[in-house]
Structure formats: structure tokens, C-alpha cells
Amino acid sequence: MVPLKICDNIYYVGVVDHDLRYFHGYATQKGTTYNSYLILDEKVTLIDTVKAGFGDELIRNISHIIDPSKIDYIISNHVEMDHSGSIPKIMEYAKNATIVTSSPSGEKGLRLHYGDKYNYKVVKSGDTLNLGKHNLSFYLTPMVHWPDNMVCYLQEEKILFSNDAFGLHYASSQRFDDECEMQTIIEEAKKYYANIVMPYRDNAQKAIKSIENLEIKYICNSHGIIWRTYIDKIIELYKKWSTFENEERAIIVYDTMWGSTKSMAVSIEEAFLKKGIATKLSNLQTTHMSDIIKDILDAKYVCVGSPTLNNNMLPTIGGFLTYLKGLRPKNKIGLAFGSYGWGGESVAQIETILKECGMELLQDKIKIQYVPKSEDLETITKSIYEKL
Ligand code: FEO
């Protein structure tokens, strides 16, 4: 792609990956981007690189603006390979460049990935690097999303290079938030937060605090579009998401063998709807778990149902609950339900995991043998309705 000038001497040189559909458990139906930025100054500086395999494209993009061998600094805000993977490619050209990374986790992580052959300069929160006319300040933001994460702020242009924070997996020809449909990018940012940042809420809050007093004209993240118009909105949403401010909403997740667990799900849905609580039914056969996680992020109720198969819950539900538990949701009220033929172990298994997720239970688990009768379904609706 043709590099994009963000403002004088600052360019977007990243790459768009329209084809990515899977990112360690996360369904990226809209692809992604690996964002990299070039600052022209006495010290030519590259902010992050791109995933390995896209390095030649990064070099081509940089070459439109400057000879890549002139790069003095590579700022590695994050060791994960979607951002550091092309450091070796850049170093083939800019042999004497210095890699600037966080102390100690960034340096350690980069050495473990790429060896000891490069020059490293480590920074900590509050350090500033002079590039000539520009100054770059660093703020360590550990665990948003790895221990090494940091963000940096270009003082003169008021640009926050935020890496994973405020990112979204969204491939498009547009580069700025106000060039895209707002609802779409907010939903994608929410999905990104829920699936990547949710377990690290305390760290996300600390990161927000560390940048709170900065005047920001652009948030140049490392995935998706650059924020310039909706900056206040995305920061406000990060505050909301990181405190698990729930909406009065129920997410009902299920899989079904012969339709019995599905009809139980529908009877549970009826209880919420009768109470005026917004509800969403999601069948794991047709909805990817990463999309369901996005819905759960700010929903108060999480109901999970599975029939029993070979003394266990269905593998779709098992995988989903493992994923959910790892994301450490907070402030949720759970409910386990499902049909069974003889053993009926699945529902207790679900309930145990919901409790392990720290959820209170709306009521005791609901089990129905074989096929629920219409009076069973009415009883389920009534019982839940009365607890809401
Ligand atoms: Fe986009 Fe944690 O890497």
C-alpha cells in the first residue's frame, strides 16, 4: 500500500492483512492490520514492525519515503510476533539501528526471540528519547497484553503510539476512525478488548491512568484504524470495560443435540424478555466463541447450556468455558442448564466452571431428561422470571 502521511514527518507504513481469519482462538472475520509508523527526524525512527511474512511489504512502504538503511531506532512497544516479527528484516537493512524496548521484560523477550546480535536500549516509564526536533516519552503498560508492553507519546505532535491498547482486528482501505462506520469499529474494538485485554483489567486501568493527562490528537495503535475523532469515546469505553460496568442484559449460550437444550434456552430467553431484559441467544454451532465473549463483556447474566455426551458436556461448550475462564470475567450472574438421557453430568460440570469464573448463580442448575414437555418449559420460564 501507499504509505499515508499522518502529519508532517510522521507516516503510516504498516500492512493490511485482509486474509487473517484466526488469531489464537479469536475469529478475525474482518482480517486485521499490523501497524507500523515512521518518524522522520535527525534520528529516523520506526514504531513497531509487522508480522513476519509481511516484512518485504513493510520495507517497500518505508522505501517510498526513505531508504530503510537510514533507520536509527526501532521502537518495540511489544514483543509479540505480530509486531516484532519483522525486526530481523529491518535489521538486514538498518544494520546499526538500536532497538528501544521496555526494561526488563521487553529486552528479555526480544533476546529470547531474536538472540543477542542486536543493539538494545531499554527504557522505563517516564524516560524520553530525543529524536532531533521530536521527543518520544515512554509509559510501561505491562500485561496490556504481555509483560513487556509499553506505549510511547510523541510530545510535539501529541500522538500516542499505543500498540495493542485501543486496537481492533479490522482490515480496510481506510486508516482513520472517522472514515469508517462508527458502530462497526466500536464493535470490533469491543471484541478486541473482550478477547485480548479483558483478563488484564487492572493493568488496563493503570495504563489509562498513565496517559490520562496527555493531550492526544491521534491514537496510533497497532491493529486496525487510527483514532483521531473518537478518542474520547474509545478511552471512555476502555474505562467502562475495564471496570466491568454491566448492562442489564442476558447472553444465553448453548449447543444442542436433538433440540431439547435449545428449547430450554428459548424458555430461559422468554423469562428475561418478559422481565424486559435484553437477551441474546447464541448457538456455538453457528456463532464463534470470540463473538459471544464480546457480548458477555458488558452483560450481567451468562446462561450456558449443554446436553450430556459421553458423560461430559459437548466439546463446543467445554472449549467455550475454558476460553471464558481464562478471560476472567467479573461481576456476572450465571446459570447452567441442559438436557440429558441417562448420566446427565454436563450441567453440573458447567455450573462448577461458572462458579470457578467467580459467578454468582441465578438459581440452581436446570436439567431435563430427554425431551422437555411444554409444562417443563413453562416451569423454567416462571422459575427464572421470579428470580429476576
Ligand atoms: Fe497485537 Fe499482543 O499483539
Side-chain angles (χ1 to χ4, degrees), residues 68 71 156 160 211 231 234-235 266:
I71 291 171
E156 292 70 18
L160 181 72
I211 59 158
I231 288 174
I234 191 65
I235 291 177
V266 171

Side-chain angles (χ1 to χ4, degrees), residues 23-24 32-34 78-83 144-146 149 163-164 169 192 196 222-223:
F23 192 90
H24 43 61
T32 195
T33 69
Y34 312 109
H78 184 19
V79 174
E80 194 165 12
M81 285 184 279
D82 45 342
H83 310 297
V144 187
H145 145 235
W146 278 16
N149 277 90
N163 197 270
D164 277 346
H169 286 310
Y192 188 93
I196 305 278
S222 60
H223 295 293

